[in-house]
Structure formats: C-alpha cells, structure tokens
Amino acid sequence: MQLLCVAIPKWERYAKDDDGKKRIERYTQLCTLILAVVMAVGYYFIARNYGAVKYTAGFAGVLCGVIVVSVFAAGAMTVQWLGTLIDARGIGSGLSMLIFAGIVSRWSGTVSVIRQIAERVAAGQWGYMAVGVFLLAFMLASLLYAVCLNAAEKRIPVQYAGKNGNRGAGSFIPVRLVTGGVMPVIFAGSVLGIPSMISLFVSGEKHPSLYRALTAFARGNWLYILLYAVLIFAFHRFYLAIQFDSTEIATNLRKRGGMIPGVRPGKPTADYLNRAIKGMADSGSLALVLVACLPMLLSKAFGISLQLGGTSLLIVVGVAIELAGQVDSQLTIRHHDGFLD
C-alpha cells in the first residue's frame, strides 16, 4: 500500500488528506482480509494433507474447511483491530507492538539451541563450546549493530541567510543510512514468500517437479539467500529514491533562503543531494544485507537454527527505539522528566 501511494498520483493525494487516509485504511483492511483468506486456505490444505483434518469429504468436509478458514481469517482481522485500538487509545504503533511481542516470544527457542550445543559438548565434541561462546557474542554484537544501524545518519549542513545579508542560523539535512528501516527487508521477504505460499496448494506426490521447484525458494536455501540479498539491495535503493526527493528539498531550501555551503542553489543543490544519497544507498543496502543474511549463513554453517533472524532483529530494535521515544515525548508533554535524559 505504501508503494501504491507513491506509484499512483491519485492515491498520493489521498495520503496527504485526512479523508483520503481513512479511505486508504479501508483498502488496507480489505487487502488484509483477502491475504488472510488466501493464507488460511493454504494452511487448511496443509493440515488436510498431514491428516490433521477429520472430515474431508461431502458436506462435512466443506463445512470443516469453511470453519477453519473463517477462524484463521477472523484471527488475522482481530489482530489488526487490536492494533487499531492501541493506536487510538495507547501511544501508537499498535501493530508494530504486536509484531514485537510475537517476535520476542519466539526467541525462547534459543533455549533449544543452547540444549543442542550442551548435548554435543557432553558427547565429547568440545569444539561446540567455542561455537556456543561465538554465537552468544554474535547475538550481542548483532543487537548493538542493529541499534547503531537504526540511528546512523549523514548530516548535510545548511546555512540560512540572516538579516541584511549576514550569515544566519545553521542547520542540517539528515539522511539516514537505512532510510526505509526494515521495509526493504520485509518487501524482499514478501516477494520470496510467494513461491512458498503457492507450494501450500501443491501436492508433492501429484506434482513432484513443480513442488521441488517451489520449495527451492524455501527460507535458508542458498538460492533464497542469494535472491534475498539482491532484492534487499534493489528495494533499499528504490525506497530511498521515493522517500528522498532531492529536487523538492532543493526548491524548499531556495524558497527559505537556505543553501548548502559551497553549493549553488537550485539544480546544483539537487545534484549534490543525489550524489550524497547514492553513496548512502550503497552503504545502507550492504548493511541491511549483512544483518538479514548473516544469521541464515551461520545457521547453515553450524547446522543450528538461530531464532535471532535479521528481519526480526531490525523490527524489534526499531519498534523498541520508537516506543521509548514516544513514551519519553508523552512524559515531556505532561511536564515530567523523560526517562531517556
């Protein structure tokens, strides 16, 4: 929906208007319902193929399928509704907070990884003790790296003209290293998740060739990791291009009497900004690829399933920082000292 608001001019006007935002929200809810139904049908077929469904034929089978799909879809819409309530009555970012809670709850699977390492050490494979220490250090370093990555930015200095032609106040244009946050990673994962979603409807016994082709894109395979890195790189550059309009920024600077020191106003300023964001785009794309793909590479190297995925790590860090900032701003508005001070 965010991409459509940029690609379709009419929707771009909707995004700038209160009534238009409500319309986009209704479209988003409708798309959510459609995707939820499609995924629910896929999960129903999986359950039936594994023999988890008792009634599979006749009226009872149809009724069972309708009930299962309806419950899955209703659950998805309930989560979306809860997110909306948190937005309206809480401190915002309702769906992000729910996703945050779901990701953190799955990190309890790290205990099983520790158990696997302990069992191999007990069996005399002492090399896995070093593996355990390395993985612990890697997880802590990944958290620190994600925090730094979320806050990293390049500040382009701007000087405003003062009275009587004198030099006025100075400021800067912030260009974040990862402009779209976790969105490029989510986009890449969504695209690569399409073959896996289609495989839910394909029987491996009836269509073995098609099933093998679709499962080749399963998460963790070498083909998946390669395409994942390429798509993250492409989506980050695209997201930066649509979020950072250098021509509009240069025009606004000229109207307000601002300029970048050593750069002429107008088109030269726009060209300078374009060169600046191109360098940031390459560095940010590489940083996102490392965060997203390195855990999968380590999992394949050591044969251990790491619950600390790159996407989940970026989401958790981003939501936590955003939530802390919102709570701090609410405390400041109510004339309390912010806990970040």
Side-chain angles (χ1 to χ4, degrees):
M1 296 301 292
Q2 289 184 359
L3 292 176
L4 288 176
C5 288
V6 176
I8 303 177
K10 186 176 181 180
W11 283 32
E12 187 177 0
R13 292 193 296 269
Y14 286 161
K16 299 177 181 178
D17 181 67
D18 291 337
D19 293 335
K21 290 179 180 178
K22 292 180 180 179
R23 180 176 297 185
I24 292 176
E25 184 178 351
R26 289 195 297 268
Y27 291 158
T28 305
Q29 292 173 350
L30 179 60
C31 291
T32 303
L33 178 60
I34 294 173
L35 288 174
V37 171
V38 172
M39 292 297 294
V41 171
Y43 282 123
Y44 168 73
F45 277 108
I46 286 181
R48 194 178 71 172
N49 292 338
Y50 278 94
V53 179
K54 182 176 181 180
Y55 302 102
T56 58
F59 177 75
V62 174
L63 181 61
C64 178
V66 171
I67 291 175
V68 170
V69 172
S70 300
V71 169
F72 272 121
M77 300 309 295
T78 301
V79 170
Q80 187 185 52
W81 174 69
L82 288 174
T84 305
L85 283 183
I86 295 174
D87 287 340
R89 302 183 181 181
I91 55 177
S93 304
L95 282 175
S96 298
M97 292 173 63
L98 292 174
I99 295 172
F100 174 93
I103 292 173
V104 172
S105 67
R106 289 198 298 272
W107 283 0
S108 60
T110 308
V111 176
S112 64
V113 176
I114 298 174
R115 187 184 299 115
Q116 292 177 27
I117 295 175
E119 290 174 353
R120 296 186 181 186
V121 171
Q125 300 178 9
W126 297 102
Y128 275 91
M129 183 176 293
V131 172
V133 174
F134 170 76
L135 290 178
L136 178 61
F138 171 75
M139 292 170 65
L140 295 176
S142 298
L143 284 172
L144 178 61
Y145 180 74
V147 172
C148 296
L149 184 64
N150 189 78
E153 65 180 18
K154 179 178 182 179
R155 297 182 175 183
I156 301 174
V158 175
Q159 193 71 42
Y160 289 94
K163 295 181 179 179
N164 301 322
N166 296 325
R167 178 175 294 183
S171 182
F172 61 88
I173 300 174
V175 183
R176 292 183 59 189
L177 179 64
V178 183
T179 305
V182 75
M183 291 307 296
V185 182
I186 293 177
F187 287 155
S190 300
V191 172
L192 289 178
I194 294 176
S196 298
M197 184 173 65
I198 297 175
S199 68
L200 300 178
F201 302 92
V202 178
S203 173
E205 298 178 357
K206 296 181 179 179
H207 307 282
S209 300
L210 178 59
Y211 186 78
R212 283 196 301 269
L214 292 173
T215 53
F217 294 91
R219 183 179 180 83
N221 291 344
W222 289 112
L223 179 61
Y224 180 95
I225 296 174
L226 177 61
L227 293 177
Y228 198 37
V230 172
L231 287 176
I232 290 174
F233 200 94
F235 276 125
H236 181 257
R237 292 184 65 90
F238 175 74
Y239 207 90
L240 182 61
I242 65 176
Q243 289 288 316
F244 194 91
D245 191 343
S246 57
T247 303
E248 183 178 355
I249 293 175
T251 302
N252 291 334
L253 282 177
R254 191 169 189 175
K255 290 180 179 178
R256 297 174 183 177
M259 64 173 293
I260 299 174
V263 182
R264 295 174 57 189
K267 190 176 183 303
T269 299
D271 295 338
Y272 178 85
L273 292 174
N274 281 327
R275 289 193 299 270
I277 65 172
K278 283 182 180 179
M280 295 293 287
D282 294 336
S283 302
S285 299
L286 181 59
L288 283 177
V289 168
L290 286 176
V291 172
C293 297
L294 196 55
M296 289 187 287
L297 293 174
L298 290 176
S299 297
K300 291 188 72 67
F302 295 115
I304 296 174
S305 177
L306 288 176
Q307 298 295 324
L308 191 68
T311 306
S312 59
L313 181 63
L314 288 172
I315 292 175
V316 166
V317 170
V319 173
I321 293 177
E322 182 183 359
L323 179 62
Q326 289 174 344
V327 172
D328 192 62
S329 63
Q330 291 292 330
L331 291 174
T332 304
I333 291 174
R334 287 164 175 76
H335 306 289
H336 297 290
D337 292 334
F339 68 92
L340 295 180
D341 294 336

